[in-house]
Amino acid sequence: MRNKEAAEADANIAERIVQIEQMTLQEIAALTSRMATEIVTGKVTAREARQIDRAVGKRLMAIERGSALARQRAQ
């Protein structure tokens, strides 16, 4: 039973990571505040929170790179 729950949790996290990869800055800000609530209430484990945090960090870096490219092109 535990393995099934773990597999479902992994699939849920994988789905969330795919969603994060498409988010805007405003959506990431909203996600960050929701994540704090989910961690405190126990809806998200520490392991899941770390995975989501890494995905958010990667997305923020991608947004930053895109902004830097746009600034370079504007010059």
Side-chain angles (χ1 to χ4, degrees), residues 1-74:
M1 185 67 157
R2 179 70 183 139
N3 287 339
K4 182 179 178 183
E5 290 173 6
E8 289 174 359
D10 287 344
N12 184 21
I13 293 301
E15 182 180 320
R16 288 179 87 166
I17 289 171
V18 168
Q19 292 170 352
I20 289 167
E21 290 171 349
Q22 304 303 315
M23 287 184 171
T24 64
L25 283 174
Q26 292 81 12
E27 292 169 329
I28 289 174
L31 172 73
T32 303
S33 65
R34 277 196 321 269
M35 284 303 302
T37 302
E38 290 182 10
I39 292 167
V40 170
T41 60
K43 292 181 180 179
V44 174
T45 66
R47 179 177 162 261
E48 293 167 339
R50 282 191 302 274
Q51 289 175 317
I52 291 170
D53 183 56
R54 280 194 299 271
V56 167
K58 287 179 182 179
R59 180 61 183 146
L60 290 172
M61 287 190 314
I63 290 170
E64 184 177 314
R65 281 192 302 268
S67 295
L69 283 173
R71 283 192 302 270
Q72 287 177 351
R73 289 181 185 153

